């Protein structure tokens, strides 16, 4: 060794030894500062690694939810489709009932008689000095429009004794009965419904008249209204007299509807259309609950349940609300001939015609329909608004009452479309359900296994595959991860299980797995599932995954579900298992919001966790000092959230960041442990190095 080399080495060792003799603190502090300052980079690295790792996995993991989401959307659209296509049938059924085409005893003629009877009754009782006189005085008659009308006792011919409680029950209190429906009020005011003309009321009167020995009817009336047989018979006879005599013959019609012909009104080809267009006779609208109870097929005396307020919706000349029983008469003033034309199902522009109804639902047909039926803008809008109300509020309940469940029908249509690309044998959605979600998703790969070629899977197989009650389907996350995804990757046991569970042969299994694999794609980040996710979320997959990682950090969840319970670091190589965790939310689940998370991870903020200036503020923050208050304000945090972060941060730094430093620098131990080792070893070795430096200096001089 040359003298010059010995001189240089001796000086270095002398200096190094002298520096290390005081215990090597300088080296230890340096390594500790490296860990402290490295926390922002550690956080960003874990985040970026998490995004990179999850990017191809999110589409696969999301496949069950995506499939279920498309199913839910499809069912909702198909329910609308069912209601849309069924409304014309419901309208035609009402029209037939009103015209008596089913040979039912309670058609439009009885509606008219009942409505007029209600008006006459209300005018008569209003003319009485009090309700007791109307019920009980044989001397009370009322002069209405020049005609005389009796009270109940006057018609009977002798005084009666209807006491207060029976009168209240007859006038205002309702009840229900599965065989003979209760009278919501036997004699209510016409403003509250069709009044005395409620169809049940007419039935009791006419039934008793036709069968005077029918004790059941009398017993029922006595029991419902707390009256004896004498008074029950008086009510039944009075009802019959109003409908059969006072309305058609004794001036009752003129009193109820001055200037309107009784004969024409009872003719459904006139009266029904007048009521529909202008609410001429029952101005608050016919209660379909009551009417259906006696008219729909005549199989039951209990109408469909439209809710506590019943259901209006028959007339275009009445405004309706699905939330309230209140209605307002707004006549359309559509001429009689036009009204009957609009209801004629033989016309391809009529709303009772299947093709015509679709035109009414198509905004582009507005001008053509207005011209065709000579409707002005107001009339057209009234009819259109009425149709929409009817379709939304009346059709579903009417279908259900007939035993046709809208959801069940939609489910059947879905299964047909998915398996074979048709609904009831017709091609209704040629580009499939995904095209309905977005035109950019038209074409292969399809959501339907039966597009573009029918799969010929049986109904039983299709129902099993889309059975919401099964936990073995591909849209159930656990079974997808444990059975279906392994089967896609050629796991024989999983494939055998699927064939057994769903009754598939090898060819059918291959078709189903091929369909599922095509949706996921060879590169899941660009496959159909990813496209659907991006459309639904309105963002690129990378952004969606980044937000998922932020949610995982903040709350320990992805899309609100616990997806990585052991934390992101458990997925790295080598894994780091907690606690403690990288995720704040796995240690302190305090509900950090998206906005707060974005602020805390803002790489341009001097108050965030991922910048050098920001992290040093967090190290210095203590409750009550200015830095604490600034961090709290700038990140929109509360005191509980601040406290949680301040507890989590030093643990993350001293345990996780320290551990990551060991791996990142390929050190034999963590930086903290290395620093402490050097403190000891360099402190002891400092004297020896210094001594060796002196020796080398002497040797260099000798040389």
């Amino acid at each position: 060794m040359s003298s010059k080399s010995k001189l240089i080495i001796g000086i270095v060792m002398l200096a190094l030894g002298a520096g290390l003799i005081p215990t090597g603190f300088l080296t230890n502090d340096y390594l500790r500062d490296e860990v402290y300052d490295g926390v922002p980079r550690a956080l960003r690295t874990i985040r970026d690694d998490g995004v990179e790792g999850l990017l191809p996995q999110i589409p696969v993991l999301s496949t069950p939810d995506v499939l279920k989401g498309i199913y839910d959307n499809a069912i909702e659209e198909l329910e609308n489709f069912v209601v849309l296509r069924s409304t014309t049938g419901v309208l035609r059924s009402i029209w037939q009932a009103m015209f008596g085409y089913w040979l039912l005893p309670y058609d439009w003629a009885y509606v008219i008689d009942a409505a007029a009877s209600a008006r006459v009754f209300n005018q008569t009782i209003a003319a009485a000095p009090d309700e007791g006189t109307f019920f009980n005085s044989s001397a009370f008659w009322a002069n209405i429009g020049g005609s005389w009308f009796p009270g109940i006792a006057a018609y009977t011919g002798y005084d009666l004794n209807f006491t207060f409680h029976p009168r209240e029950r007859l006038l205002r209190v309702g009840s229900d009965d599965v065989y003979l429906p209760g009278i919501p009020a036997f004699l209510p005011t016409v403003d509250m419904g069709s009044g005395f003309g409620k169809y049940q009321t007419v039935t009791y009167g006419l039934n008793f008249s036709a069968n005077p020995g029918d004790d059941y009817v009398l017993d029922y009336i006595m029991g419902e209204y707390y009256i004896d047989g004498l008074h029950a018979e008086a009510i039944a006879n009075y009802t019959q007299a109003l409908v059969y005599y006072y309305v058609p013959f004794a001036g009752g019609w003129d009193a109820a509807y001055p200037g309107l012909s009784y004969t024409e009104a009872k003719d459904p080809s006139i009266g029904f259309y007048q009521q529909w267009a202008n609410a001429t006779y029952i101005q608050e609208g016919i209660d379909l609950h009551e009417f259906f109870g006696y008219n729909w097929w005549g199989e039951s005396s209990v109408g469909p349940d439209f809710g506590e307020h019943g259901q209006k919706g028959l007339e275009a000349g009445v405004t309706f609300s699905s939330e309230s029983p209140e209605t307002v008469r707004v006549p359309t003033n559509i001429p009689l001939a036009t009204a009957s034309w609009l209801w004629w199902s033989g016309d391809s522009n009529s709303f009772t015609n299947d093709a015509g109804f679709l035109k009414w639902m198509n905004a582009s047909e507005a001008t053509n329909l207005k011209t065709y039926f000579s409707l002005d803008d107001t009339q057209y809008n009234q009819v259109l608004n009425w149709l929409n109300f009817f379709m939304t509020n009346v059709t579903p309940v009417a279908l259900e009452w007939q035993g046709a469940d809208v959801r069940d029908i939609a489910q059947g249509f879905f299964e047909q479309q998915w398996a074979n690309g048709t609904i009831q044998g017709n091609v209704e959605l040629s580009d499939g359900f995904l095209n309905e979600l977005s035109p950019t998703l038209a074409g292969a790969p399809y959501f339907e296994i039966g597009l573009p070629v029918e799969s010929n899977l049986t109904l039983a197989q299709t129902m099993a595959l889309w059975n919401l009650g099964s936990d073995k389907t591909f849209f159930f996350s656990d079974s997808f991860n444990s059975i279906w995804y392994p089967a896609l990757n050629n796991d024989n046991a999983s494939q055998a299980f699927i064939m057994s569970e769903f009754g598939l042969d090898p060819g059918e299994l291959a078709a189903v797995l091929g369909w599922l694999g095509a949706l996921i794609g060879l590169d899941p980040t660009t496959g159909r599932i990813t496209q659907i996710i991006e459309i639904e979320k309105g963002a690129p997959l990378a952004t969606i995954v980044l937000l998922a990682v932020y949610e995982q950090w903040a709350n320990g969840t992805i899309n609100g579900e616990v997806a990585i319970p052991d934390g992101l670091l458990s997925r790295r190589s080598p894994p780091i298992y907690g606690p403690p965790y990288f995720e704040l939310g796995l240690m302190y689940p305090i509900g950090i919001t998206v906005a707060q998370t974005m602020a805390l991870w803002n790489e341009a903020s001097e108050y965030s966790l991922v910048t050098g200036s920001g992290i040093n503020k967090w190290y210095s923050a203590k409750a009550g000092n200015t830095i604490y208050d600034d961090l709290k304000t700038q990140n929109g945090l509360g005191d509980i959230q601040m406290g949680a972060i301040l507890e989590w941060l030093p643990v993350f730094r001293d345990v996780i960041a320290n551990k990551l430093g060991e791996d990142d620098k390929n050190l034999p131990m963590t930086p903290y442990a290395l620093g402490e080792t050097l403190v000891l070893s360099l402190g002891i070795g400092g004297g020896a190095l210094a001594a060796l430096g002196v020796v080398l200096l002497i040797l260099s001089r000798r040389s």
Side-chain angles (χ1 to χ4, degrees):
M1 179 183 292
S2 68
S3 298
K4 185 177 181 181
S5 298
K6 292 177 182 178
L7 175 62
I8 293 172
I9 294 173
I11 292 171
V12 170
M13 289 187 171
L14 179 63
L16 182 58
L20 294 178
I21 288 172
T23 69
F25 285 147
L26 292 177
T27 303
N28 186 31
D29 288 346
Y30 167 79
L31 292 170
R32 188 173 296 277
D33 288 344
E34 280 286 293
V35 173
Y36 274 50
D37 294 341
V39 165
R41 187 166 67 89
L43 288 170
R44 295 194 302 267
T45 299
I46 298 171
R47 175 199 64 190
D48 295 344
D49 289 347
V51 170
E52 183 180 353
L54 287 175
L55 200 60
Q57 296 182 39
I58 285 292
V60 176
L61 295 173
S62 299
T63 296
D65 289 336
V66 170
L67 294 176
K68 182 59 165 54
I70 298 171
Y71 166 85
D72 289 338
N73 287 335
I75 289 295
E76 183 177 349
E77 291 301 317
L78 287 171
E79 285 179 335
N80 294 334
F81 176 84
V82 170
V83 171
L84 180 71
R85 292 300 180 90
S86 301
T87 296
T88 51
V90 175
L91 287 168
R92 289 194 296 265
S93 295
I94 291 177
W95 184 87
Q96 291 170 344
M98 292 295 187
F99 278 68
Y101 283 6
W102 291 335
L103 303 178
L104 298 174
Y106 308 110
D107 56 16
W108 179 249
Y110 283 101
V111 174
I112 285 294
D113 287 341
S117 298
R119 287 176 179 266
V120 170
F121 164 78
N122 282 290
Q123 292 174 3
T124 303
I125 195 171
D130 55 64
E131 293 174 356
T133 300
F134 169 80
F135 276 96
N136 296 321
S137 174
S138 60
F140 172 72
W141 287 72
N143 188 329
I144 303 173
S147 298
W148 289 92
F149 300 94
I152 294 179
Y155 175 77
T156 304
Y158 45 81
D159 289 344
L160 295 170
N161 186 31
F162 285 94
T163 59
F164 174 78
H165 289 294
R167 293 201 308 266
E168 283 293 296
R169 195 164 177 80
L170 284 162
L171 289 171
R172 300 178 182 91
V173 180
S175 61
D176 291 313
D177 185 275
V178 294
Y179 300 107
L180 286 175
I183 303 166
F186 195 77
L187 307 169
T189 61
V190 74
D191 292 338
M192 296 301 293
S194 49
F196 190 79
K198 283 182 181 292
Y199 312 107
Q200 296 95 323
T201 305
V202 178
T203 300
Y204 289 130
L206 300 182
N207 191 22
F208 178 74
S209 173
N211 303 283
D214 191 342
D215 293 335
Y216 179 80
V217 174
L218 288 180
D219 289 344
Y220 182 82
I221 295 176
M222 287 188 290
E224 283 295 299
Y225 301 103
Y226 306 154
I227 52 180
D228 58 22
L230 177 70
H231 291 79
E233 187 173 346
I235 291 172
N237 286 335
Y238 184 72
T239 303
Q240 182 217 17
L242 277 177
V243 175
Y244 276 159
Y245 176 72
Y246 284 103
V247 168
F249 303 119
W253 181 261
D254 293 334
Y257 301 104
L260 293 175
S261 166
Y262 173 70
T263 302
E264 289 183 339
K266 287 190 68 172
D267 181 350
S269 65
I270 298 175
F272 169 73
Y273 296 127
Q274 288 177 327
Q275 176 67 23
W276 172 78
N278 303 310
T280 303
Y281 306 104
I282 304 175
Q283 296 187 357
E284 66 280 3
I286 292 175
D287 188 331
L288 293 173
H289 175 78
E290 296 170 11
F291 180 76
F292 285 167
Y294 279 89
N295 286 271
W296 211 295
W297 280 289
E299 295 177 358
S300 171
S301 59
V302 181
D305 183 9
F306 287 105
E308 64 176 303
H309 301 306
Q311 178 66 64
K312 307 297 178 66
L314 176 64
E315 299 87 353
V318 177
T319 60
F320 307 103
S321 168
S322 58
E323 305 297 329
S324 168
E326 300 299 325
T327 58
V328 178
R329 181 189 182 220
V330 184
T332 66
N333 296 315
I334 293 174
L336 179 64
T338 303
S340 63
W341 191 9
L342 285 163
W343 277 84
W344 181 43
S345 61
D347 192 299
S348 62
N349 289 309
S350 164
F351 48 66
T352 62
N353 178 282
D354 292 342
F357 185 82
L358 295 179
K359 292 179 183 178
W360 278 91
M361 294 295 105
N362 186 347
S364 65
E365 294 284 348
T367 301
N368 294 336
L369 291 171
K370 284 187 284 188
T371 301
Y372 188 79
F373 290 107
S374 299
L375 301 173
D376 61 31
D377 289 342
T378 300
Q379 291 169 329
Y380 172 81
N381 288 329
Q382 280 185 267
V383 175
L384 183 61
N385 290 338
W386 162 72
L387 280 174
N388 280 310
F389 180 89
F390 190 97
M391 180 174 63
T392 303
N393 295 280
V394 178
T395 299
V397 183
L399 287 175
E400 183 178 351
W401 192 69
Q402 296 175 45
D405 184 83
V406 173
R407 174 74 185 213
D408 288 345
I409 298 173
Q411 176 71 27
F413 286 177
F414 171 86
E415 290 159 357
Q416 295 171 35
Q417 174 67 22
W418 181 79
N420 297 311
T422 59
I423 296 176
Q424 292 185 310
N426 299 316
V427 177
E428 301 284 356
L429 301 169
S430 58
D431 284 319
F433 287 124
L434 292 183
N435 184 58
E436 301 300 305
L437 180 64
S438 171
T440 63
L441 298 176
Y446 296 95
F447 171 76
E448 291 88 343
I449 194 174
L451 286 177
V453 180
E454 294 183 7
S455 72
N456 292 318
L457 289 173
T458 67
L459 177 60
Q461 290 169 330
T462 304
M463 291 176 65
L465 287 166
W466 288 97
N467 180 6
L468 297 184
S470 170
D471 63 356
K472 301 299 187 293
T473 62
F474 38 64
F475 56 82
F476 186 76
S477 294
D478 288 346
S479 62
F480 177 83
N481 295 329
S482 62
I483 302 171
W484 287 91
Y485 195 59
L488 280 170
N489 289 285
N490 300 315
D491 181 77
N492 292 331
S494 297
Q495 292 182 354
F497 177 86
I498 292 172
M499 286 192 289
S500 173
E501 180 73 16
F502 297 98
L504 304 175
D505 62 31
E508 292 164 338
L509 173 69
V512 174
L513 292 179
W515 160 78
L516 192 57
L519 286 176
I520 297 172
L522 294 175
D523 179 1
T525 63
T526 60
R528 188 63 104 201
I529 295 294
T530 289
Q531 292 176 311
I532 296 169
I533 293 172
E534 290 179 337
I535 289 173
E536 286 292 292
K537 298 291 187 180
L541 181 64
T543 301
I544 296 168
V545 174
L546 176 62
L547 292 174
V549 169
Y550 282 152
E551 182 188 341
Q552 173 69 18
W553 174 82
N555 297 308
T557 59
I558 294 178
N559 289 329
E561 301 290 334
V562 176
I564 311 175
D566 292 323
L568 284 171
L569 291 177
S570 68
R571 301 164 66 89
R572 74 187 291 273
S573 180
I576 298 177
Y577 292 98
Y581 298 98
F582 155 74
E583 290 87 347
L584 171 69
L586 289 179
M587 296 175 64
Y588 303 97
I590 52 175
I592 297 288
T593 66
V594 173
Q596 292 168 334
T597 303
M598 299 304 289
L600 289 166
W601 284 81
N602 183 353
E603 295 183 43
S605 170
E606 59 179 300
Y607 300 96
S608 77
L609 294 167
V610 291
T611 61
S613 58
I615 200 65
N616 284 312
K617 288 184 175 67
W618 280 97
Y619 292 154
S620 302
K622 293 181 180 180
N625 68 17
T626 302
I627 296 176
Y628 176 97
D629 293 338
D630 289 344
L631 291 171
K632 175 182 172 182
T633 301
Q634 293 297 325
N635 292 292
L637 300 168
D639 286 324
I640 294 177
Q641 294 168 323
M642 284 291 296
I645 294 173
L646 290 175
E647 287 190 36
W648 163 82
L649 180 58
V651 177
F652 172 83
R653 177 194 65 204
D654 296 341
V655 178
I656 296 177
N658 194 28
K659 172 63 177 172
L660 291 174
E662 174 187 1
D663 297 338
D664 185 47
K665 302 297 185 183
N666 196 27
L667 299 175
M669 60 191 74
T670 68
Y672 281 5
L674 180 60
E676 291 167 356
T677 300
L678 290 175
V679 165
L680 179 61
S681 63
L682 293 182
I684 295 173
L689 287 172
L692 180 57
V694 172
V695 171
L696 288 173
L697 281 173
I698 294 171
L699 289 174
S700 69
R701 287 174 183 173
R702 287 180 180 176
S703 300

